[in-house]
Amino acid sequence: MRSGPTIKDIARAVGVTPATVSYVLSQNPRQSISAQTRQKVLEAARELGYVPNGAAKVLRNAPSYCVGVAIEKELMLSRFSMVLQGIRDRLEGEGYNLMLCSFGQRHGIYPDYINNTLERRIDGVIFMGKDNTGPTPEAEELIARYHLPFVLYDCGYTGRPYSTVELDYEQAGFDMADSMLAGGARRLLYLRPDADNYQEQQREAGVRRALAARPDVTLQVMCTDTTRDMVRYTPQDRLGLGIELKADEGVARFLAGQVIPALAEFAPHDGVITSWGVYAPLLYSLLAQAGKSLQIGALSDMLVSGMLQGRIKVCRMPGYQAGVECARLLLARLAGDETPQTRTLPMPLGNPAMYF
Amino acid sequence: MRSGPTIKDIARAVGVTPATVSYVLSQNPRQSISAQTRQKVLEAARELGYVPNGAAKVLRNAPSYCVGVAIEKELMLSRFSMVLQGIRDRLEGEGYNLMLCSFGQRHGIYPDYINNTLERRIDGVIFMGKDNTGPTPEAEELIARYHLPFVLYDCGYTGRPYSTVELDYEQAGFDMADSMLAGGARRLLYLRPDADNYQEQQREAGVRRALAARPDVTLQVMCTDTTRDMVRYTPQDRLGLGIELKADEGVARFLAGQVIPALAEFAPHDGVITSWGVYAPLLYSLLAQAGKSLQIGALSDMLVSGMLQGRIKVCRMPGYQAGVECARLLLARLAGDETPQTRTLPMPLGNPAMYF
DNA sequence: CTGAAAGCGCTTACAG
DNA sequence: CTGAAAGCGCTTACAG
């Protein structure tokens, strides 16, 4: 199919050896070339439409100038696409392309994101698991053994030998609860999924910290049963109509049957904080139907429609910034800096955004 | 940094030549290998943690098993991320990775998506412009000259030498107008941007076709001045808080000042069709404020919140399917099929989806 | 300043 | 069934 001109062709056209052409084209500083030869080589290269063969360069140990981004599946979740955009914006300026890597074993015996590094198709990896999953233990061993440049996003820091970017879930919980106290709340309901992971622990800890100094305020915690009361994806998900909320099942039933009754005594200044964003609009609708108005806040802004401006407070996922930060830490690794760094980003309290 | 074992190391360990190792590992069918040797080679490979050097393979003309996706900037627009997900799902099953390519000139003298193909870092390109832009004329020439596998998404077909996936904007306009007629509309306002591109022409043509048989229904067309009345992005866009709508300026002023007055005579069964999705929620809010209810439809579902279920009809962008289709057409090219194909996908009428 | 040569890691006709 | 050898396109010490 494609078999363009090589440095040999240029060399022949100009009447020099391939080595000379290479020196000119790669601007090797350890080799001086006469202005005239340089001129002729560059001209011939342009004329022939020369494009260097990337594979040959990489074979000679050049970097691939490509960075892998390991995202398991859901590029459509703005949680991930925002980060991706941040990574891209930061890395493109440095001349890097991005390669989307999966978690499965594609060609080799290792997960795709490791295999591509080992095959030298990418120079490093930014890893975004979901539900707190980091790389497999086997992958971690290879990362350590080969010193693979690796950055982990939002997995809960646990002293790994690579850089991580984390979000300050604890502070988010604190800020939201604190703002509700400032709004006059005397009762607070905290609604969280039963999943007992790093993020959920941190969030609840933050909420409790805000309440520690206020024994006059009651806190009630309710857990959704995520094995049963999930927000459901419809079959259309994968059929081209986007991911869709089946709000009338699962969680909605739990909210209507359990949560709303628990709010019976709540006064207008009291508040509900939901851990996941998706719970908040559902709750808002149900409360509105019941003719009830409370402070509502969500510790994530994912799935909180911008149309709820002023009705629901959210802690915003700083996805784009996080992506930029991941890129920055990876660049440090690529530049040879081996010391793992951790950056923890705030999740500022604000209004839900209108995402495109 | 990384310098793992090569076939030479395996050969030495087993006591055969590198050629034999290669035959075993690549399962070359033109060469039979004794079961015993094969066994030993495979064992040694596993033991040493052998991973083939991708660059060396590509240098020998193997495909890179990587496909470029050219998206100019906005990965956060679900319009693009849905397509990307579709492409990925289809192509990952075939063993391909995706590389995000930009439009700028990164390393070479050609646009990034062309250069990466010429450098053999990717085997082909799926191109998603925005605002109808296709590849540059220079890029088109290279695509033709080198027969680069290339698929164009949603640019308006104009007889190019490569495959394209289009959306049926004309039918969308027809279906929406038709549904409003079925809903009893006697007056219709069609609100479109002044941009005179393929999509807008098709959409209006569709609306007019639906009205052709109904001389009793009046159609009024209004154009937004996109050079002046744009939906504005706030500076936060690139600062990590997502893309945000500045609804109180630009278009909103035009809608309030020009469009709402034009609807003074409209009765409840009459309707407004907006070309862009983003106009519809704004219009809905303004009408609601004015205590007015009309049929509202948008010819795209981008930016139409799922909270408007039942209030606004939309034509859905079949982004995921389109991605799958792009992947399918590219696979055909990669398999050697040179005949350009065009697929035109329907944009089914429905409710706005709750996008994650 | 320029050229001849080796080598990166792999594959594949070809000869045994 | 196995091995010796050439070559993909480039870079880079090294000798002139």
Side-chain angles (χ1 to χ4, degrees):
Chain A
M1 170 187 321
R2 116 110 180 138
S3 64
T6 71
I7 51 169
K8 265 192 201 163
D9 298 311
I10 299 177
R12 203 177 312 120
V14 176
V16 294
T17 63
T20 307
V21 175
S22 172
Y23 286 131
V24 172
L25 260 28
S26 59
Q27 311 192 56
N28 191 323
R30 324 180 51 150
Q31 189 67 17
S32 54
I33 300 283
S34 73
Q36 197 193 358
T37 306
R38 173 188 312 280
Q39 189 61 34
K40 283 200 284 186
V41 166
L42 291 175
E43 218 157 85
R46 188 156 359 97
E47 200 144 306
L48 294 171
Y50 172 76
V51 172
N53 183 317
K57 279 190 176 160
V58 170
L59 189 56
R60 301 271 327 191
N61 267 328
S64 66
Y65 275 107
C66 190
V67 160
V69 182
I71 302 181
E72 187 145 20
K73 282 233 154 278
E74 308 298 347
L75 300 171
M76 281 139 92
L77 300 180
S78 69
R79 170 168 177 230
F80 291 127
S81 61
M82 288 193 323
V83 183
L84 193 56
Q85 181 75 48
I87 295 171
R88 191 189 193 198
D89 282 357
R90 180 71 182 83
L91 248 31
E92 230 164 45
E94 309 284 334
Y96 284 88
N97 280 116
L98 259 43
M99 184 184 287
L100 300 179
C101 296
S102 73
F103 285 39
Q105 299 174 191
R106 301 267 301 298
H107 293 120
I109 55 175
Y110 305 125
D112 190 39
Y113 56 90
I114 292 289
N115 202 60
N116 277 319
T117 321
L118 261 21
E119 279 195 27
R120 315 220 30 182
R121 290 149 53 92
I122 55 181
D123 300 331
V125 176
I126 295 173
F127 184 101
M128 293 191 261
K130 65 178 198 184
D131 313 329
N132 265 50
T133 347
T136 62
E138 188 190 24
E140 291 210 293
E141 198 207 307
L142 288 163
I143 292 164
R145 171 154 23 124
Y146 290 114
H147 298 94
L148 304 182
F150 202 85
V151 173
L152 195 56
Y153 170 62
D154 188 24
C155 283
Y157 181 72
T158 58
R160 283 154 165 128
Y162 33 78
S163 296
T164 58
V165 173
E166 303 293 340
L167 303 180
D168 200 340
Y169 292 104
E170 203 274 344
Q171 189 64 38
F174 178 89
D175 289 344
M176 182 64 77
D178 195 51
S179 118
M180 293 209 165
L181 295 178
R186 306 296 306 264
R187 292 163 184 264
L188 232 44
L189 175 68
Y190 180 54
L191 181 65
R192 55 164 281 186
D194 56 357
D196 189 35
N197 54 32
Y198 172 81
Q199 284 90 336
E200 295 307 332
Q201 285 165 11
Q202 291 295 302
R203 281 171 167 155
E204 184 168 335
V207 170
R208 290 190 181 279
R209 177 161 66 91
L211 290 188
R214 291 287 303 270
D216 57 316
V217 177
T218 60
L219 171 68
Q220 187 182 355
V221 177
M222 292 183 80
C223 282
T224 58
D225 179 349
T226 49
T227 60
R228 199 193 57 198
D229 298 332
M230 279 304 284
V231 174
R232 293 248 311 240
Y233 293 58
T234 69
Q236 282 137 323
D237 295 0
R238 309 255 130 244
L239 293 177
L241 298 177
I243 297 172
E244 196 159 334
L245 229 60
K246 196 82 176 189
D248 51 348
E249 302 198 17
V251 166
R253 194 180 301 142
F254 176 73
L255 292 178
Q258 310 284 117
V259 179
I260 297 288
L263 298 170
E265 311 277 293
F266 275 47
H269 287 306
D270 295 336
V272 186
I273 300 176
T274 70
S275 171
W276 289 2
V278 65
Y279 295 165
L282 302 180
L283 197 64
Y284 173 79
S285 305
L286 291 169
L287 283 171
Q289 275 172 35
K292 192 148 190 164
S293 161
L294 297 174
Q295 295 194 70
I296 303 180
L299 299 186
S300 147
D301 62 340
M302 295 296 98
L303 293 177
V304 182
S305 164
M307 300 206 68
L308 290 168
Q309 299 270 348
R311 316 283 170 78
I312 294 179
K313 277 187 208 154
V314 294
C315 292
R316 289 183 163 195
M317 301 284 283
Y320 183 84
Q321 268 169 329
V324 171
E325 204 54 40
C326 286
R328 212 177 59 75
L329 295 187
L330 190 67
L331 285 171
R333 299 297 281 220
L334 292 175
D337 181 357
E338 298 267 324
T339 50
Q341 296 182 53
T342 294
R343 280 276 286 143
T344 302
L345 300 179
M347 303 178 68
L349 201 64
N351 271 314
M354 290 278 229
Y355 292 105
F356 274 45
Chain B
M1 172 187 321
R2 118 111 181 136
S3 64
T6 70
I7 51 169
K8 266 193 201 161
D9 298 311
I10 299 176
R12 202 176 314 119
V14 176
V16 293
T17 64
T20 307
V21 175
S22 171
Y23 286 131
V24 171
L25 260 29
S26 58
Q27 311 192 56
N28 190 322
R30 323 181 52 153
Q31 189 67 16
S32 54
I33 300 283
S34 74
Q36 198 194 357
T37 306
R38 170 187 315 278
Q39 188 61 31
K40 283 200 283 187
V41 166
L42 291 175
E43 218 157 84
R46 186 153 5 94
E47 199 143 305
L48 293 171
Y50 171 76
V51 172
N53 183 317
K57 278 191 178 161
V58 170
L59 189 56
R60 300 271 327 192
N61 268 327
S64 66
Y65 276 107
C66 189
V67 160
V69 182
I71 302 181
E72 188 146 18
K73 281 232 156 280
E74 307 300 347
L75 300 169
M76 281 139 90
L77 300 180
S78 68
R79 168 166 180 234
F80 291 128
S81 61
M82 287 193 323
V83 182
L84 193 56
Q85 181 76 47
I87 295 171
R88 190 187 194 200
D89 283 357
R90 181 70 181 83
L91 247 30
E92 230 165 45
E94 309 285 334
Y96 283 89
N97 280 117
L98 259 43
M99 184 185 287
L100 299 181
C101 296
S102 72
F103 285 39
Q105 298 174 193
R106 301 268 300 297
H107 292 121
I109 54 175
Y110 305 124
D112 190 40
Y113 56 91
I114 292 289
N115 202 61
N116 277 320
T117 322
L118 261 21
E119 278 194 26
R120 314 220 31 180
R121 289 150 55 92
I122 54 181
D123 300 332
V125 176
I126 295 174
F127 183 101
M128 293 191 260
K130 65 180 197 181
D131 313 328
N132 266 48
T133 346
T136 62
E138 188 189 25
E140 291 210 292
E141 198 208 306
L142 288 163
I143 293 163
R145 168 149 31 117
Y146 290 115
H147 298 94
L148 304 182
F150 202 86
V151 174
L152 195 57
Y153 170 61
D154 188 23
C155 283
Y157 181 72
T158 58
R160 283 156 165 128
Y162 34 77
S163 296
T164 58
V165 172
E166 304 293 338
L167 303 180
D168 201 340
Y169 292 103
E170 203 274 345
Q171 189 65 38
F174 178 89
D175 289 344
M176 183 63 77
D178 195 50
S179 118
M180 294 211 165
L181 295 179
R186 308 295 304 264
R187 292 162 184 266
L188 233 44
L189 175 68
Y190 180 54
L191 181 64
R192 53 165 281 186
D194 56 356
D196 190 35
N197 55 32
Y198 172 81
Q199 284 91 336
E200 295 307 332
Q201 285 165 11
Q202 292 293 303
R203 281 171 167 155
E204 184 169 336
V207 170
R208 290 190 183 280
R209 177 162 66 90
L211 291 189
R214 291 286 304 269
D216 58 316
V217 177
T218 61
L219 171 69
Q220 187 181 353
V221 177
M222 292 182 80
C223 282
T224 58
D225 178 349
T226 50
T227 60
R228 199 194 57 199
D229 298 333
M230 278 304 284
V231 173
R232 293 248 312 241
Y233 292 58
T234 71
Q236 282 138 324
D237 296 359
R238 308 255 129 245
L239 294 177
L241 298 177
I243 296 172
E244 196 158 336
L245 228 60
K246 196 82 176 188
D248 51 348
E249 302 198 17
V251 166
R253 194 179 300 144
F254 175 74
L255 293 178
Q258 310 284 117
V259 179
I260 296 289
L263 298 171
E265 311 277 293
F266 275 46
H269 286 307
D270 295 336
V272 186
I273 300 176
T274 70
S275 171
W276 289 2
V278 65
Y279 295 165
L282 302 180
L283 196 65
Y284 173 79
S285 304
L286 291 169
L287 283 171
Q289 276 172 35
K292 192 149 190 162
S293 161
L294 297 174
Q295 294 194 70
I296 303 180
L299 300 187
S300 147
D301 62 341
M302 295 298 97
L303 293 176
V304 182
S305 163
M307 300 207 69
L308 290 168
Q309 299 270 350
R311 316 282 170 77
I312 293 179
K313 277 187 208 155
V314 293
C315 292
R316 290 183 161 195
M317 302 284 285
Y320 184 83
Q321 269 169 330
V324 171
E325 204 54 40
C326 285
R328 214 178 57 75
L329 295 187
L330 189 67
L331 284 170
R333 300 297 282 219
L334 292 174
D337 180 356
E338 298 267 325
T339 50
Q341 296 183 53
T342 294
R343 278 276 286 144
T344 302
L345 300 179
M347 302 178 67
L349 200 65
N351 271 315
M354 290 278 230
Y355 292 104
F356 274 43

